[in-house]
Amino acid sequence: MKLNTLPRRLQPPSVAVLGLLALTLLASAGTAHAAQTLSIGDLHSSYNRNILYMSIAVIVMAILIFIGVSYALFYTVNKFREDKHSAAPDQFHGNNRLETVLIVVPVIIVTVITILAAHTMAIVNPTPPGALHVNATGAQFWWAFDYPDAKLSGAAGTVVNGNELVIPTGRQVAITVTAKDVIHAFWAPNLGGQRDAIPGSLKTFQIDTDQPGSYQGNCSVLCGASHANMRFKVVALPPAQYAAFIAGAAAYKAPAPSTPSTQNGYSIFMQGEDKASAAVPACASCHRIQGTPAAGAVGPDLSYFGSRDTLGAGIWEGKEREAHIEPWIKHCAAVKPGCLMPAYTDLSDADLADLKAYLLSLKLPDTAAYWGKVPVR
Ligand code: CUA
């Protein structure tokens, strides 16, 4: 029989509907390649895989329960249908066997789901031996990442980065999350679950992936005017490249400014826009640059700003980023709502250009740089 001779309600769903469904499934499975995809269906993460296995088990049970309850309902309605010609129905008080079954079966189902959930939590929550430790601190509106393990290995400097988290592939990364001001939440969906970042509280959980790439992360708790602008990148590098990053970052010392432009930029950074007045603090009082006197911890660490790819906690990337550095320094709250950095409106365009040149000169050695070495996921 030809399809178009079928009655309308028996026609299979149209190609367009099937296509839409397939697209939705593809998108939710994280297999779209063009743009960066936020997806808890990225199964390169063991966390996401474990959650998926548990979800499938629970969904299968739910379908079986649905079929069983539907069958019982239709069976009962059909069997005990009202018969207009009969006398009054049988009167009876309860059915002990049926009631026992109706109590015992749900208890068994809930117990199985509880065991499954507890088992999954016991797999994904504990920090496994050999995990890499990273601290993530949320603040309005950016993220600080530091590597306590790098300090322990006796390296010269501290490995700290702002809004860009570098991790190795194929290894559990134990993230200890906290916050400086209000409650934020760390979430990189392709790599694992999310955790609230709460001031005064330290919470550790695991993320991981076996696929190199740069992934998108977001703050996922409303935390103020620029909550939506509190993003971060996670760059997952193969272990050898990750080791090169850590070695380069730990040994990093900011290069001395070598041109008149970067020298002026350096001087403004360290001493402020007007060396005679302290009305607006110098950049160095809030930002740190490893290997210079700048040791502020109020704003993001800028040690290798020139090797980064994002600005304003992920608002701008690449070329867009370079174009926004000067407006950002001049009046950051004008380009990012709620930005807490003071305005530097008295800086001349030439001074802004010099500051930008100095910041962009702060680069990791090529072996330690992490952008461009792995694809965008
Ligand atoms: Cu930080 Cu939302």
Side-chain angles (χ1 to χ4, degrees):
M1 191 197 290
K2 276 189 184 162
L3 281 183
N4 55 12
T5 62
L6 285 170
R8 185 162 172 76
R9 65 199 170 96
L10 291 183
Q11 293 263 1
S14 73
V15 174
V17 171
L18 283 178
L20 200 66
L21 190 68
L23 272 182
T24 313
L25 286 173
L26 273 179
S28 65
T31 46
H33 290 290
Q36 198 140 29
T37 318
L38 292 176
S39 172
I40 59 168
D42 186 334
L43 301 183
H44 291 283
S45 151
S46 70
Y47 182 101
N48 289 347
R49 283 197 299 271
N50 283 311
I51 298 294
L52 179 78
Y53 298 154
M54 192 192 76
S55 307
I56 289 174
V58 173
I59 289 168
V60 166
M61 286 170 67
I63 291 172
L64 292 177
I65 292 167
F66 176 76
I67 292 171
V69 170
S70 304
Y71 176 78
L73 180 69
F74 283 107
Y75 174 81
T76 315
V77 166
N78 193 43
K79 182 165 164 75
F80 301 104
R81 202 187 317 196
E82 184 191 23
D83 183 347
K84 292 205 169 65
H85 304 292
S86 73
D90 289 347
Q91 301 297 310
F92 59 89
H93 293 281
N95 179 335
N96 284 345
R97 211 167 59 174
L98 181 64
E99 284 166 20
T100 308
V101 168
L102 288 181
I103 291 169
V104 169
V105 170
V107 167
I108 292 174
I109 291 170
V110 171
T111 306
V112 169
I113 293 178
T114 306
I115 291 170
L116 272 177
H119 176 248
T120 305
M121 285 163 72
I123 294 173
V124 300
N125 280 339
T127 303
L132 170 73
H133 290 265
V134 178
N135 298 320
T137 306
Q140 283 175 323
F141 295 96
W142 58 282
W143 292 96
F145 301 116
D146 72 88
Y147 296 72
D149 294 353
K151 262 180 264 178
L152 294 176
S153 67
T158 314
V159 179
V160 185
N161 210 356
N163 303 315
E164 295 181 1
L165 170 62
V166 183
I167 63 167
T169 55
R171 185 174 169 193
Q172 295 286 322
V173 182
I175 310 261
T176 299
V177 181
T178 189
K180 280 187 181 175
D181 36 39
V182 300
I183 299 176
H184 305 272
F186 178 102
W187 196 24
N190 299 58
L191 307 172
Q194 62 174 308
R195 278 296 183 284
D196 280 358
I198 301 170
S201 140
L202 298 174
K203 290 187 175 186
T204 301
F205 77 114
Q206 274 64 241
I207 62 171
D208 73 287
T209 182
D210 52 28
Q211 180 176 247
S214 85
Y215 298 87
Q216 182 69 43
N218 284 56
C219 174
S220 55
V221 163
L222 181 62
C223 56
S226 259
H227 158 66
N229 296 320
M230 192 172 159
R231 304 178 212 166
F232 57 96
K233 297 281 184 191
V234 183
V235 181
L237 298 175
Q241 280 178 14
Y242 171 77
F245 161 73
I246 286 293
Y252 177 85
K253 281 198 172 67
S258 55
T259 65
S261 172
T262 54
Q263 278 159 1
N264 184 41
Y266 176 88
S267 145
I268 297 168
F269 191 95
M270 297 301 162
Q271 291 159 38
E273 57 180 296
D274 178 357
K275 289 148 204 156
S277 122
V280 188
C283 317
S285 54
C286 292
H287 296 280
R288 172 178 174 271
I289 296 176
Q290 191 161 302
T292 75
V298 177
D301 190 294
L302 300 176
S303 295
Y304 13 91
F305 182 87
S307 287
R308 288 201 206 144
D309 192 54
T310 60
L311 177 69
I315 305 181
W316 302 287
E317 299 176 24
K319 290 255 184 304
E320 281 262 287
R321 165 196 198 237
E322 289 203 15
H324 283 88
I325 293 175
E326 286 144 305
W328 174 266
I329 299 170
K330 189 160 189 169
H331 191 186
C332 126
V335 287
K336 176 173 179 173
C339 177
L340 295 173
M341 186 164 79
Y344 291 85
T345 37
D346 290 343
L347 280 179
S348 68
D349 288 352
D351 283 345
L352 284 169
D354 290 348
L355 254 180
K356 173 180 170 179
Y358 174 62
L359 289 171
L360 289 177
S361 75
L362 302 172
K363 285 193 170 164
L364 287 166
D366 284 345
T367 50
Y370 49 90
W371 280 111
K373 295 184 172 172
V374 289
V376 172
R377 302 281 181 199

